[in-house]
Amino acid sequence: MPGLRLGPLLRYADGSCATVWVETSGPCTAEVRCADGSRGTARTFRIAGHHYALVPVGGLTPGTATEYEVLLDGASVWPPADSRFPPSVIATPTDDDGMRVAFGSCRWAAPPAGGKDSVGPDALDTLSARVAADPERARPDVLLLLGDQVYADEVSDATRHWLAGRRDLDRPPGDQIADYEEYTRLYYESWLDPEVRWLLSTVPSCMIFDDHDVIDDWNTSAAWLADMRATDWWQERLLSGLMSYWVYQQLGNLSPDELAADPLYAAVRETPDGTDALRAFAARADSDPASVRWSYRRDFGRTRLLMVDSRAARVLDEDRRTMLDPGEAAWLREQILEGRGDSDSDSDSDSNSAYDHLLIGTSLPWLLPHLVHDVEAWNAAMCGGERGERWARRGEWIRRGADLEHWAAFPSSFDALGDLIAEAGTGPGAPATVSVLSGDVHHAYVAEPSWAGRAPDARVAQLTCSPVHNSVPLSIRLGFRFGWSAPARALGRRIARHGRCAPPAVSWRRTGGPWFGNQIMTLTLRGRSARLRLEQARANRDGTNALRTITDRELA
């Protein structure tokens, strides 16, 4: 009989339907059967010797939470008979319930050695324990994982030992991930964690990649990419990374209607083995990034989420360098402005508003500490030839060494995003809040922008939360604390003048943080009000872990 290798993951969920992702040990029919009688089935598809199914569940009732089980060829495989967790449920909140959106990034999933976690308690593990203890009070409505779900370039000791058993680690890429099979190992290590496995089975999730899902500094520059393509291992690494991302993360981001219209999803399900079709798709995404869209939109009642690909959609040529290619930028603008002025909203909402809250998910922060921003803008000017060829070569070396590749390193894209946010937040159709949700930088903070001569009607904030579970070296703590300071801001202005950098189109100030630790942020959205809470995972004296509230404040 087939078994359940990984999952279930509750991915998409709205008022009437949901999708549940599983990996199985062999071909079979996967079924999700709910206590209220709703159900769904799907036949597994095969990729590189592994079997998966994304089960659509229809007939759900809005405003309810129904327990479910997973069956493979009619045999129940979830929940486990010896489970210490409450039953997994599919919850379908209504607009009146509001939304609790939890988010974070950068989860290194190495198991603790000898019972001691070298980087401190895992915030997702700790969140899971709290939800299990009181599901009705503590369960988020959706969990946003904003990048670095797995670390292909920084593996655990256990995975390194496993890699050594299948190939020579003295040959590139050494003790990093090389192919699809090795990527599956990373997902097993991350998602078989009992607490995280249960949490992902009962809280819907949305995901997007960042660099470590493939490699540190992925798509930093055209010169970086050329160097990588000159190696004999990069092509397999990249294709395997994109293939595994599509299977393990991207599929679940899509609604049942989007899945039904997806030709690749149809192709892999209609053939005995979908590996070749998926590999061809990944190769096309590599050779022509503009031909594939990893970004996506989710509407949760009157909250709109736009998850933006800020890695693979880049234009890297120095003379036209942008964070988003023209098609991606046009898509983002269309999704932000779509529906303005034709909403059938109730009396508690602006009558011209398509949504009350706009969430822009981008793994890389838009607003950084001022010194970091100015250094990245200066570096972009140097690499672009503003001070000549010698400075351009030096600038490329600095860019790679210091990871200078956030929105600030793409000045035209930084300004364009600011202009779009201001437009979205202004006028009779403006939402109450516009929040840019990010991670990557291994600390948390709140920054609020302002525009010269105009003030958006919406409350706009950069909300950054990282890491969920990773180290925060002293150098990062000191560097980012200094980066927000007044002396650092003055130093940044001098550096920007050397690069002949135009002032950014927006100014900003830090209104919270920086906070360091394994942490998770939660936005509670109800009507046109918004409340932000940051919690850190802390170890108690009795050996248990708990989430400690660091800040709890109103945004609107």
Side-chain angles (χ1 to χ4, degrees):
M1 293 292 293
L4 186 65
R5 296 198 68 188
L6 195 57
L9 275 72
L10 175 59
R11 297 303 314 274
Y12 180 92
D14 63 20
S16 61
C17 64
T19 61
V20 176
W21 181 98
V22 294
E23 180 177 353
T24 66
S25 61
C28 61
T29 296
E31 179 183 0
V32 173
R33 187 180 297 171
C34 300
D36 67 358
S38 55
R39 54 176 296 197
T41 62
R43 188 70 187 169
T44 56
F45 59 90
R46 178 185 171 100
I47 301 292
H50 294 258
H51 303 268
Y52 310 93
L54 188 64
V55 183
V57 183
L60 298 169
T61 303
T64 64
T66 180
E67 298 177 8
Y68 74 90
E69 62 175 328
V70 177
L71 302 92
L72 303 181
D73 283 347
S76 180
V77 294
W78 184 271
D82 58 350
S83 175
R84 55 187 171 86
F85 296 98
S88 301
V89 304
I90 301 175
T92 54
T94 65
D95 293 353
D96 295 337
D97 296 330
M99 282 288 298
R100 286 176 292 187
V101 181
F103 63 95
S105 79
C106 307
R107 181 174 180 264
W108 191 59
K116 181 175 177 57
D117 197 327
S118 61
V119 299
D122 186 324
L124 278 194
D125 277 354
T126 313
L127 174 63
S128 177
R130 186 172 71 185
V131 174
D134 190 356
E136 296 305 316
R137 184 186 70 84
R139 182 189 293 116
D141 294 298
V142 66
L143 176 64
L144 311 183
L145 299 176
L146 296 169
D148 296 344
Q149 274 68 262
V150 294
Y151 279 71
D153 53 355
E154 186 181 347
V155 302
S156 67
D157 290 341
T159 295
R160 187 176 296 107
H161 179 76
W162 180 83
L163 293 175
R166 71 187 306 262
R167 59 180 173 85
D168 183 359
L169 299 189
D170 290 332
R171 299 182 60 183
D175 61 355
Q176 299 185 21
I177 297 304
D179 59 25
Y180 187 91
E181 184 64 28
E182 294 178 6
Y183 264 103
T184 67
R185 166 77 184 198
L186 292 184
Y187 284 103
Y188 296 159
E189 186 172 62
S190 181
W191 291 355
L192 282 175
D193 173 312
E195 285 76 16
V196 169
R197 188 178 195 180
W198 178 81
L199 182 70
L200 293 178
S201 77
T202 202
V203 175
S205 55
C206 299
M207 307 180 188
I208 193 69
F209 47 48
D210 198 23
D211 55 345
H212 290 285
D213 291 79
V214 176
I215 194 171
D216 189 25
D217 301 339
W218 178 28
N219 283 344
T220 289
S221 66
W224 178 94
L225 185 57
D227 288 347
M228 298 304 293
R229 286 176 169 169
T231 69
D232 61 3
W233 58 269
W234 169 248
Q235 181 76 356
E236 186 60 37
R237 166 77 154 272
L238 178 64
L239 296 188
S240 296
L242 294 177
M243 291 169 66
S244 61
Y245 174 79
W246 184 85
V247 171
Y248 286 85
Q249 298 190 52
Q250 178 70 359
L251 269 182
N253 292 329
L254 306 180
S255 71
D257 288 344
E258 290 170 321
L259 290 167
D262 188 324
L264 176 60
Y265 186 52
V268 300
R269 296 176 69 209
E270 290 168 358
T271 60
D273 190 324
T275 307
D276 290 345
L278 181 54
R279 189 175 181 86
F281 170 84
R284 186 169 72 254
D286 175 36
S287 62
D288 183 13
S291 68
V292 173
R293 174 159 296 124
W294 300 106
S295 301
Y296 58 94
R297 165 179 155 182
R298 291 286 306 276
D299 286 340
F300 304 95
R302 293 189 53 78
T303 296
R304 179 166 297 176
L305 167 67
L306 297 173
M307 198 72 90
V308 181
D309 164 20
S310 50
R311 279 291 169 190
R314 298 177 176 186
V315 175
L316 297 178
D317 297 341
E318 293 295 343
D319 59 347
R320 58 188 188 98
R321 182 176 165 86
T322 57
M323 182 68 85
L324 307 179
D325 65 54
E328 196 77 6
W331 175 87
L332 179 60
R333 178 180 180 79
E334 177 185 355
Q335 299 305 313
I336 286 178
L337 300 181
E338 188 271 325
R340 292 280 292 266
D342 60 359
S343 173
D344 295 326
S345 56
D346 59 32
S347 59
D348 293 331
S349 303
D350 190 308
S351 61
N352 292 316
S353 175
Y355 44 83
D356 292 325
H357 303 279
L358 174 62
L359 310 179
I360 301 174
T362 166
S363 62
L364 302 173
W366 171 51
L367 303 178
L368 288 164
H370 296 96
L371 175 58
V372 179
H373 176 96
D374 289 334
V375 168
E376 294 203 8
W378 165 84
N379 181 260
M382 295 301 97
C383 293
E386 184 65 35
R387 289 284 185 176
E389 182 61 30
R390 181 180 177 185
W391 270 108
R393 291 194 300 269
R394 185 178 300 172
E396 177 64 25
W397 179 81
I398 294 172
R399 175 157 62 189
R400 298 192 199 185
D403 293 354
L404 305 181
E405 37 91 38
H406 299 81
W407 285 87
F410 299 77
S412 65
S413 297
F414 176 90
D415 288 342
L417 182 58
D419 289 344
L420 181 56
I421 288 172
E423 182 179 357
T426 303
T433 66
V434 179
S435 301
V436 181
L437 313 181
S438 306
D440 179 70
V441 290
H442 286 212
H443 71 294
Y445 61 90
V446 180
E448 298 188 45
S450 58
W451 287 260
R454 54 178 171 166
D457 300 292
R459 180 82 174 268
V460 180
Q462 167 73 66
L463 306 178
T464 301
C465 183
S466 166
V468 168
H469 184 239
N470 212 318
S471 61
V472 186
L474 180 61
S475 58
I476 289 181
R477 296 173 184 260
L478 295 176
F480 279 111
R481 287 191 187 280
F482 176 70
W484 285 110
S485 68
R489 192 165 187 172
L491 175 60
R493 285 195 291 266
R494 294 190 62 181
I495 293 172
R497 284 196 294 271
H498 175 265
R500 301 169 181 153
C501 303
V506 61
S507 59
W508 61 98
R509 62 190 180 94
R510 174 177 54 88
T511 57
W515 299 289
F516 300 92
N518 293 328
Q519 46 206 354
I520 198 91
M521 272 186 178
T522 301
L523 271 175
T524 300
L525 309 171
R526 187 180 299 276
R528 290 180 68 82
S529 70
R531 191 168 191 89
L532 173 70
R533 185 173 71 249
L534 173 72
E535 298 172 289
Q536 290 183 350
R538 301 287 181 85
N540 297 323
R541 291 182 178 179
D542 63 2
T544 63
N545 301 323
L547 289 173
R548 175 186 172 189
T549 299
I550 303 301
T551 187
D552 190 346
R553 62 176 71 183
E554 289 186 359
L555 288 182

